[in-house]
């Protein structure tokens, strides 16, 4: 179990963040937790990569960021999806589905042949 | 939108770095706390949870901080600050590097600023590449065009928007204390349309103004208009007196108009040829003395235009009769103007450009070597920083920043060197260098200097930087003693070898040029140049319209000059050897049927041969007997005697020079050959006549004066003697024959001086390179040397050890350099004279010099090595 690869598939981190934030605004740790939970521990998010990605997505105009008080009255940076971010999520989701199904077909063909 | 966001967010971070850092720190801490909290819920103790969380997170703050373009700026700024501090801390090192680079960059920038406007920039005319120069072909080589050929081509060709011909014109304004002579051009009406430049004031020539005997008109240059006419706009339509004729000023050319075909021309006037009798083949309009230019129609290439002109040449029409000497049967030459005006100087300029690139390369190698040596001393520092978590890319960037900064400092100093260099180059430049006025430190030159500095900065830094990381950094920390240095010495040795090789190429080039000039100046010019002064005397005004008064003036002037005390002898000649004046050649046909197309016609007064010390080989010289009514007599050159009358005595034989419908000239004597255009050339044959017996009177003659003593004090006395006859005749180009002789090889001399200077610099740089490597080596091997001397090696043995290394490096460099030189000197071929590209004397001399310098560079390190005290070095370990 320990040896199993839990890295997020390269190039999909942005999509996972956008998808997670499409449900509700969240802070960095929340996003990481949600990704791990929903993937049932298949993906573990590297904190450094996550926070850098958040910076990048914000710069790209896909996320808005806002400092808020959390329920236990701490300062935390909450991210939410912008309109451009929603569009980007659709693009990335479509792209991913197309590629994933192509890979699935290939693997299936391999198994049959 | 996104770019805008990038920009504003980045600027916000830059403006408030602390707030941004605080935000990142807060976000990271929040993440950490949440992680720890989650771990605690899984049952870990608070301390353990915090520890695990911290380990899992790593240094995320640093990672997140690096994101964004603004961080590149701030880290670069930090790098630059650090690099400045380091350079300041090592002033000696910095000075040597910066000075070496300044030399290389400065020299290249200077050469570039000379070469760029001449060879690379297009000429200062609209659509300049469409301007062509067109030549007739005579005896297989290019020749000037006749006016009638021009008229035919202009009427029949469809490839050109405009065609024009021109020749030099030197009018004089008389009446003042001294006559003022101007340089100008006689042009056909379309000249300025070919160049694509129109007068700024007034108008261009009309075709109707380029006809025989129509009133004179003239266009002035901006400079002349300002200098002589007070920049008065009312000049248009007024008249000026030139050579006794009234010219109406119709235009003034724009300021900054560059006339590359005759850079010193200041006024222009139509040719006004008499084209009435086309079949009079002896008329001036049939003389080969016009340069021809044309502006190609758009979409038509030079090759296409040439094909059309060749076709016209092959198909004469009855309405355009042609004499055999301008038959156009061999076609015409059509070449871009840019190539034509730079044709003569191109070989020298390219050679010099190649030489300076070698110097630049050597300078770079030298600095690379110095940086490499310093990189070795800093290995400990780098190892420590990597161990403390610095990324290697970050260190690499910092090293490159240092070398970049060094190069920029070098480049800035180099601009000073270049400023001095450009002035020196222009002063040294060979006569006939086109576009001299366009040579300046302008935008492209600064761009070149900065671009090359930046590139050099990266290049010289790259090798040492990569070198610093290739070696095991962990070993760098442990290694405090200098016992091993093998790998680095190999790189440094290789660099020194390449330096020696490059320097050798330059030395060979300089050597070959020195030998060429030696050979050239060993060639007898055919006359004795010492103690001879010359000046150009021109007749101006209508009183010389008849040949008699023209000849009388020269005869009287000569008498007056001969009376000047200190003058041994004096004479006039229509052609002055090695004076670079425009030359006209004539056809000659011999009684025995022999014919020569290109013969020089020297019209000389008796006494010319004594004055110039041209030897009489047979027969008699021209003298008082050879006057108008007498039997026409001619002297011929030795080469003509051999070629025209092989195995016979030419004395008494007859020949025609120029028009063949006149009485024969009888050969009275044979004189030695004289170099007319250049020492290197095989000259055309020559015929000498007296002014009275020539078929036309020359209105411009060169006065030659042989003085009794050294010194040119007699030049002004001779000038005043001429003016005592007529004070309105201009006298220009006063020069000693010695200086003309030297100037005739100014192109090679220019290349030689530059090569010598560069070769010297290269030699010094190579020597310091060898010196640097050896002294570094001696330091590193101090322990080994100590052991050797402790074991009984004598001082001589130690010296030999070091010198052997120097000679090995030098020898290797020489071998590689020889191969390079044999290849590279091919570029010098056209500049060489009388030496083969593999001249053994040059090669042996250069090799000996290089090895001697290598040994010399090793002397100080060897001496230091010999004084190594074994007891001290061994105890130091």
């Amino acid at each position: 179990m320990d040896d199993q690869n839990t890295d997020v598939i390269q190039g999909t981190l942005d999509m996972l963040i956008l998808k997670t934030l499409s449900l509700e605004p969240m802070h960095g740790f929340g996003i990481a937790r949600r990704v791990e939970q929903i993937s049932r521990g298949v993906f573990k998010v590297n904190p450094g990569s996550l926070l850098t990605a958040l910076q990048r997505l914000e710069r790209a105009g896909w996320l808005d960021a806002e400092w808020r008080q959390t329920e236990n009255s701490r300062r935390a940076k909450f991210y939410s999806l912008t309109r451009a971010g929603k569009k980007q999520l659709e693009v990335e989701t479509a792209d991913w589905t197309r590629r994933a199904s192509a890979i699935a077909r290939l693997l299936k063909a391999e198994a049959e042949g | 939108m996104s770019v805008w966001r990038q920009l504003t967010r980045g600027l916000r971070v830059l403006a408030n770095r602390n707030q941004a850092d605080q935000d990142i720190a807060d976000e990271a801490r929040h993440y950490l706390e949440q992680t720890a909290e989650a771990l605690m819920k899984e049952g870990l103790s608070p301390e353990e949870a915090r520890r695990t969380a911290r380990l899992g997170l790593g240094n995320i703050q640093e990672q997140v901080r690096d994101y964004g373009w603004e961080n590149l700026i701030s880290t670069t700024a930090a790098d630059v600050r650090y690099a400045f501090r380091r350079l300041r801390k090592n002033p000696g090192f910095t000075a040597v590097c910066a000075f070496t680079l300044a030399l290389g960059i400065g020299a290249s920038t200077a050469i570039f600023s000379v070469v760029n406007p001449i060879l690379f920039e297009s000429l200062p005319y609209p659509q300049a590449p469409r301007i062509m120069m067109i030549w007739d072909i005579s005896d297989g080589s290019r020749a000037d065009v006749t006016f009638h050929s021009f008229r035919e081509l202009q009427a029949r060709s469809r490839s050109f928007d405009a065609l024009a011909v021109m020749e030099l014109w030197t009018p004089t304004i008389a009446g003042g204390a001294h006559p003022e002579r101007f340089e100008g051009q006689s042009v056909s009406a379309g000249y300025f349309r070919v160049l694509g430049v129109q007068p700024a004031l007034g108008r261009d020539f009309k075709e109707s103004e380029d006809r025989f005997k129509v009133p004179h008109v003239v266009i002035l240059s901006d400079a002349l208009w300002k200098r002589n006419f007070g920049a008065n706009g009312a000049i248009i339509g007024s008249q000026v007196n030139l050579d006794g004729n009234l010219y109406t000023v119709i235009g003034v050319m724009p300021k900054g108009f560059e006339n590359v075909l005759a850079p010193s021309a200041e006024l222009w006037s139509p040719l006004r040829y008499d084209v009435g009798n086309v079949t009079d083949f002896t008329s001036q309009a049939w003389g080969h003395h016009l340069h021809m230019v044309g502006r190609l129609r758009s979409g038509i290439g030079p090759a296409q235009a040439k094909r059309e002109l060749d076709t016209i040449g092959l198909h004469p029409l009855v309405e355009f009769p042609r004499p055999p000497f301008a038959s156009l049967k061999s076609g015409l030459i059509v070449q871009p103007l840019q190539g034509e005006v730079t044709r003569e100087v191109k070989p020298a300029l390219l050679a010099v450009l190649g030489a300076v690139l070698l110097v630049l390369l050597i300078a770079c190698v030298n600095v690379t070597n110095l940086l490499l040596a310093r990189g070795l001393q800093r290995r400990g520092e780098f190892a420590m920083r990597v161990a403390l978590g610095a990324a290697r890319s970050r260190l690499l960037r910092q090293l490159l920043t240092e070398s970049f900064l060094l190069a920029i400092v070098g480049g800035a100093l180099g601009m000073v060197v270049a400023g001095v260099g450009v002035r020196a180059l222009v002063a040294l430049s060979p006569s006939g260098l086109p576009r001299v006025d366009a040579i300046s430190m302008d935008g492209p030159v600064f761009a070149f200097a900065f671009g090359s500095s930046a590139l050099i900065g990266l290049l010289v830094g790259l090798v040492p930087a990569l070198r610093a990381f290739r070696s095991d950094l962990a070993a760098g920390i442990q290694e405090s003693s200098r016992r091993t240095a093998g790998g680095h010495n190999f790189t440094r040795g290789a660099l020194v070898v390449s330096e020696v090789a490059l320097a050798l190429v330059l030395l060979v080039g300089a050597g070959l040029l020195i030998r060429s000039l030696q050979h050239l100046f060993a060639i007898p010019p055919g006359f004795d140049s010492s103690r001879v002064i010359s000046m150009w005397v021109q007749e101006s005004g209508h009183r010389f319209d008849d040949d008699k008064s023209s000849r009388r003036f020269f005869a009287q002037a000569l008498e007056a000059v001969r009376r000047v005390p200190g003058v041994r002898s004096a004479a006039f000649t229509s052609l002055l050897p090695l004076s670079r004046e425009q030359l006209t050649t004539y056809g000659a046909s011999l009684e025995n049927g022999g014919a020569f197309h290109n013969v020089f016609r020297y019209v000389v007064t008796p006494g010319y041969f004594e004055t110039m010390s041209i030897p009489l080989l047979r027969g008699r010289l021209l003298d008082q007997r050879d006057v108008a009514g007498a039997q026409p007599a001619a002297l011929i050159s030795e080469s003509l005697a051999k070629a025209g009358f092989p195995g016979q005595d030419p004395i008494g034989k007859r020949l025609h020079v120029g028009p063949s419908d006149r009485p024969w000239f009888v050969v009275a004597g044979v004189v030695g050959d004289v170099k007319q255009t250049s020492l290197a050339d095989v000259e055309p044959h020559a015929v000498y006549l007296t002014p009275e017996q020539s078929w036309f009177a020359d209105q411009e003659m060169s006065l030659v004066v042989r003085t009794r003593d050294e010194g040119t004090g007699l030049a002004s006395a001779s000038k005043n003697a001429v003016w005592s006859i007529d004070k309105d005749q201009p006298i220009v180009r006063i020069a000693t024959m010695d200086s003309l002789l030297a100037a005739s090889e100014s192109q090679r001399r220019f290349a030689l001086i530059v090569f010598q200077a560069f070769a010297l610099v290269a030699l010094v740089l190579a020597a310091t390179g060898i010196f640097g490597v050896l002294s570094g080596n001696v330091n590193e091997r101090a322990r080994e040397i100590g052991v050797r001397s402790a074991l009984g090696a004598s001082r001589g043995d130690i010296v030999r050890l070091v010198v052997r290394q120097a000679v090995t490096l030098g020898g290797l460099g020489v071998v590689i350099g020889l191969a390079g030189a044999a290849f590279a000197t091919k570029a010098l071929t056209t500049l060489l004279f009388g030496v083969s590209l593999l001249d053994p004397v040059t090669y042996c001399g250069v090799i000996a010099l290089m090895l001697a310098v290598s040994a010399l560079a090793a002397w100080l390190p060897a001496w230091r090595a010999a004084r190594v005290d074994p007891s001290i070095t061994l105890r130091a370990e």
Side-chain angles (χ1 to χ4, degrees):
Chain A
M1 187 70 190
D2 280 353
D3 292 348
Q4 250 182 5
N5 193 345
T6 56
D7 288 345
V8 172
I9 297 171
Q10 233 183 359
T12 60
L13 180 60
D14 289 5
M15 182 176 68
L16 297 182
I17 293 170
L18 293 174
K19 177 70 198 166
T20 312
L21 287 177
S22 72
L23 308 174
E24 58 176 322
M26 240 176 266
H27 52 65
F29 181 76
I31 297 171
R33 240 295 258 272
R34 184 67 65 84
V35 167
E36 281 170 29
Q37 279 172 355
I38 296 185
S39 72
R40 300 206 186 107
V42 172
F43 295 138
K44 273 215 182 341
V45 180
N46 175 312
S49 310
L50 176 72
L51 294 191
T52 313
L54 287 171
Q55 290 254 12
R56 190 176 61 242
L57 295 176
E58 190 197 343
R59 280 284 175 94
W62 296 331
L63 304 184
D64 273 336
E66 191 188 4
W67 288 95
R68 277 195 225 157
Q69 297 288 323
T70 58
E71 53 273 27
N72 39 16
S73 70
R74 279 209 199 91
R75 225 165 78 90
K77 198 176 183 184
F78 276 77
Y79 295 89
S80 60
L81 214 56
T82 62
R83 195 193 295 263
K86 275 188 190 118
K87 208 163 278 166
Q88 179 65 17
L89 175 61
E90 280 165 27
V91 172
E92 291 205 10
T93 314
D95 188 49
W96 172 258
T97 319
R98 194 170 53 83
R99 285 199 286 176
S101 59
I103 288 171
R105 277 197 304 279
L106 278 171
L107 292 175
K108 209 168 149 211
E110 199 79 347
E112 282 166 3
Chain B
M1 157 82 187
S2 169
V3 175
W4 176 245
R5 213 175 159 109
Q6 282 280 4
L7 200 67
T8 49
R9 295 290 165 102
L11 287 175
R12 205 178 301 158
V13 172
L14 273 186
N16 203 343
R17 181 85 249 184
N18 288 344
Q19 179 62 50
D21 281 352
Q22 188 59 50
D23 283 355
I24 292 170
D26 281 354
E27 192 173 11
R29 202 184 48 240
H30 178 250
Y31 200 103
L32 186 76
E33 284 166 4
Q34 296 275 313
T35 313
E37 230 163 78
L39 287 171
M40 264 156 41
K41 278 188 190 137
E42 282 171 26
L44 264 69
S45 72
E47 284 94 85
E48 220 170 329
R50 214 164 293 140
R51 196 182 117 76
T52 316
R54 196 160 276 149
L55 274 177
L57 281 170
N59 193 358
I60 55 171
Q61 226 167 301
E62 191 63 23
Q63 215 177 330
V64 177
R65 260 197 76 175
D66 264 354
Y67 175 76
W69 60 267
E70 68 275 7
N71 292 297
L72 207 61
I73 291 187
S74 51
T75 50
T76 305
D79 280 352
V80 170
R81 272 197 303 275
Y82 183 71
F84 251 122
R85 269 211 306 280
R86 282 215 61 98
L87 293 182
R88 257 216 320 268
K89 253 202 267 174
N90 298 285
F93 170 84
T94 308
V96 170
C97 285
F99 183 71
T100 307
L101 287 177
L103 218 56
I105 295 172
S108 336
T109 305
I111 297 287
F112 177 80
S113 62
V114 170
V115 169
N116 183 46
I118 299 175
L119 293 188
F120 303 140
E121 272 176 10
S122 60
L123 295 176
Y125 307 117
Q127 293 111 40
R130 272 164 56 190
I131 307 177
M132 297 289 131
M133 205 150 182
I134 298 146
W135 301 90
D136 198 351
I137 299 177
S138 159
D139 289 349
S141 59
R142 54 179 62 205
D144 279 327
V145 181
T146 72
F147 189 72
H148 283 299
S149 302
F150 160 68
R151 282 182 69 229
E152 179 180 347
L153 294 174
Q154 195 179 29
R156 296 180 64 187
S157 165
R158 295 280 162 270
S159 301
F160 296 90
D161 279 341
L163 281 170
V165 284
M166 70 272 175
E167 64 183 342
L168 287 182
W169 174 47
T170 49
T172 306
I173 295 181
H178 290 303
E180 197 176 356
R181 174 185 171 274
F182 297 96
E183 291 204 16
Q185 282 177 298
S186 290
V187 299
S188 64
Y191 180 64
F192 292 118
R193 264 179 287 138
V194 170
L195 298 183
V197 183
Q198 289 295 301
L201 211 62
R203 60 170 176 84
D204 197 357
F205 298 121
K206 291 181 190 151
E207 291 292 341
S208 60
E209 286 161 340
D210 187 14
R211 301 274 155 74
F212 189 47
K213 285 197 166 157
V214 298
H216 292 281
V217 291
V218 66
I219 292 179
L220 310 176
S221 76
D222 181 76
L224 179 64
W225 176 54
K226 286 186 175 141
R227 200 174 65 231
N228 282 38
F229 302 98
N232 184 353
I235 186 80
I236 305 294
S238 65
Q239 294 193 312
V240 290
N241 187 326
L242 299 168
D243 290 334
N245 295 314
L246 286 177
Y247 283 71
T248 306
V249 179
I250 62 163
V252 176
M253 291 308 286
K255 185 175 191 289
F257 165 61
E258 226 183 298
N259 189 35
V260 297
L261 283 152
S264 44
E266 296 193 299
L267 26 72
W268 296 268
S269 182
L271 284 160
R272 298 164 75 249
Y273 266 110
D274 178 6
V275 292
N277 190 359
V278 185
T279 48
D280 175 12
F281 294 152
T282 63
S283 76
Q284 241 207 317
W286 274 118
H288 282 279
H289 46 65
L290 297 173
H291 283 346
M292 183 166 167
V293 286
R295 172 174 286 269
L296 287 176
R297 218 172 264 284
S298 79
I300 291 184
Q304 204 178 342
K306 178 184 165 42
R307 272 198 302 280
E308 194 215 22
L309 297 188
D310 287 353
T311 315
I312 293 172
L314 284 174
H315 300 94
L317 299 177
V318 275
E319 61 263 44
F320 295 110
R322 298 173 187 168
F325 58 83
S327 70
L328 304 181
K329 281 273 156 49
S330 332
L332 290 117
I333 297 171
V334 179
Q335 290 287 332
L337 178 62
Q338 172 132 32
E340 289 294 307
V341 295
T342 57
R343 194 163 54 104
E344 225 181 289
V345 293
K346 201 171 178 179
L349 290 184
L350 285 181
V352 164
L353 189 64
V356 84
L357 290 182
L358 288 181
V359 172
L360 184 60
L361 213 55
I362 295 173
C364 290
V365 171
N366 224 2
V367 172
T368 307
N369 230 339
L370 288 170
L371 286 171
L372 201 58
R374 208 171 58 126
L376 292 185
Q377 295 161 14
R378 292 172 66 185
R379 268 171 68 190
E381 174 199 334
F382 296 145
M384 185 64 76
R385 291 175 60 181
V386 168
L388 290 179
R392 287 190 178 199
S393 61
R394 189 80 183 64
L395 281 188
L396 189 71
R397 218 163 79 195
Q398 207 221 298
L399 278 174
L400 289 183
T401 308
E402 272 183 53
S403 62
F404 187 81
L405 204 63
L406 207 50
I408 294 297
V409 172
L413 285 176
M415 293 310 286
V416 180
V417 175
V420 177
V422 167
R423 244 168 288 150
L425 283 169
V426 170
L428 273 175
S429 65
S431 42
L433 188 73
R435 304 203 64 201
V436 173
D437 296 337
I439 295 171
S440 64
M441 308 268 285
D442 51 6
V445 171
F446 281 111
F448 171 86
F450 180 76
S452 55
S453 305
L455 193 69
I456 288 163
L458 296 183
L459 283 182
V460 297
L462 207 58
V463 175
L466 292 178
R467 189 71 232 184
F469 293 117
R470 199 157 14 123
S471 52
D472 186 2
L473 280 166
I477 292 186
Q478 298 158 6
E479 183 190 337
S480 54
S481 86
R482 315 183 193 114
R483 258 167 298 183
T484 55
H488 309 286
N489 279 340
F490 177 77
T491 314
R492 299 195 60 195
L495 286 174
V496 165
V497 166
S498 62
E499 242 179 304
V500 171
L502 292 169
L504 192 90
V505 174
L506 274 175
L507 283 172
V508 167
L512 289 174
L513 284 170
I514 291 175
R515 297 265 297 153
S516 295
L517 279 180
Q518 273 176 356
H519 279 263
L520 271 171
F521 285 114
I523 291 177
F527 58 88
D528 176 12
S529 63
S530 59
R531 280 186 288 160
V532 178
I533 43 184
S534 72
M535 57 194 73
W536 209 53
V537 183
Q538 191 182 358
E539 291 176 337
S540 153
H542 286 298
R543 72 197 101 160
F544 300 111
D545 282 354
D546 75 300
D547 289 0
K548 246 199 191 127
S549 43
S550 161
R551 287 174 182 134
R552 190 165 352 113
F553 166 70
F554 283 121
Q556 289 173 344
L558 191 56
E559 278 314 306
V561 171
R562 282 181 175 149
R563 281 195 299 270
V564 172
V567 170
R568 183 188 288 265
S569 62
F572 274 109
T573 174
S574 61
L575 289 182
L576 184 64
L578 300 180
S579 62
R580 296 183 65 95
E581 62 199 0
Q582 234 184 353
L583 293 170
T584 310
T585 56
Y586 295 88
S589 48
L590 312 185
E591 192 180 12
N592 60 16
F596 301 92
H597 285 294
N598 295 312
V599 170
F600 285 138
R601 160 191 170 275
Y602 288 86
V603 168
V604 298
T605 57
Y608 174 71
F609 301 95
E610 295 90 326
T611 308
M612 296 287 279
S613 300
I614 297 170
L616 174 70
L617 304 175
R618 261 162 187 279
R620 66 168 177 93
L621 290 173
L622 297 172
D623 55 30
Q624 313 308 331
R625 272 171 285 170
D626 305 308
V627 288
Q631 162 74 49
L635 301 187
I636 60 175
S637 64
E638 190 184 1
S639 66
L640 180 55
K642 280 192 183 138
F645 308 99
Q648 306 164 33
D649 182 1
I651 306 298
K653 297 282 192 309
R654 298 188 298 176
L655 79 162
H656 282 305
V657 187
S660 48
D661 53 355
R662 297 183 78 260
W664 295 95
F665 287 102
V666 175
V667 176
V670 179
V671 293
D673 288 331
V674 169
K675 294 292 180 188
Q676 175 63 39
T677 52
S678 141
L679 289 174
D681 287 346
V682 176
E683 300 291 349
H685 308 309
V687 174
Y688 296 85
L689 316 169
T690 61
E692 293 82 2
Q693 292 187 339
S694 167
W695 65 95
F696 71 92
D698 295 82
Q699 300 220 313
E700 300 134 8
M701 302 268 268
S702 288
L703 174 67
V704 283
V705 179
R706 178 168 293 275
T707 61
R708 291 190 198 283
D709 308 302
E710 293 293 335
T712 53
L714 282 179
S716 59
S718 306
K719 192 159 79 168
N720 288 329
V722 174
W723 278 337
S724 73
I725 305 301
D726 186 334
K727 74 168 179 60
D728 287 341
Q729 306 313 313
I731 296 174
V732 288
R733 296 207 310 229
I734 301 171
T736 64
M737 286 310 286
D738 280 334
S739 67
L740 287 182
L741 186 62
S744 72
E745 293 308 326
S746 58
Q747 235 213 101
R748 287 190 175 87
R749 193 182 283 271
F750 170 70
L752 173 65
I753 292 173
V754 175
F755 262 78
Q756 274 177 329
F758 288 174
L760 189 69
V761 171
L763 199 60
V764 170
L765 288 179
T768 50
I770 293 177
F771 170 79
V773 166
L774 289 184
S775 15
N777 222 6
V778 166
N779 284 344
E780 280 157 13
R781 289 168 72 182
R783 184 170 182 275
E784 176 198 331
I785 292 167
V787 170
R788 278 174 192 253
S789 49
L791 290 177
S794 70
R795 286 193 171 182
D797 293 333
I798 304 290
V799 167
R800 262 195 297 281
L801 183 77
V802 178
V803 172
R804 197 190 306 133
Q805 201 194 353
V807 175
T808 310
L809 289 176
L812 254 166
V814 164
V815 171
I816 297 170
L818 285 180
F823 175 74
T825 48
K826 286 202 185 94
L828 285 177
T829 310
T830 51
L831 290 175
L832 298 185
F833 180 85
V835 290
S836 89
L837 281 177
L838 300 174
D839 180 45
V841 177
T842 305
Y843 274 81
C844 292
V846 164
I847 293 170
L849 180 64
M850 197 73 234
L851 290 180
V853 168
S854 307
L856 199 67
W859 184 78
L860 189 63
W863 182 73
R864 275 203 350 241
R867 288 174 26 128
V868 164
D869 184 344
S871 60
I872 293 174
T873 41
L874 292 181
R875 211 174 296 143
E877 287 287 306

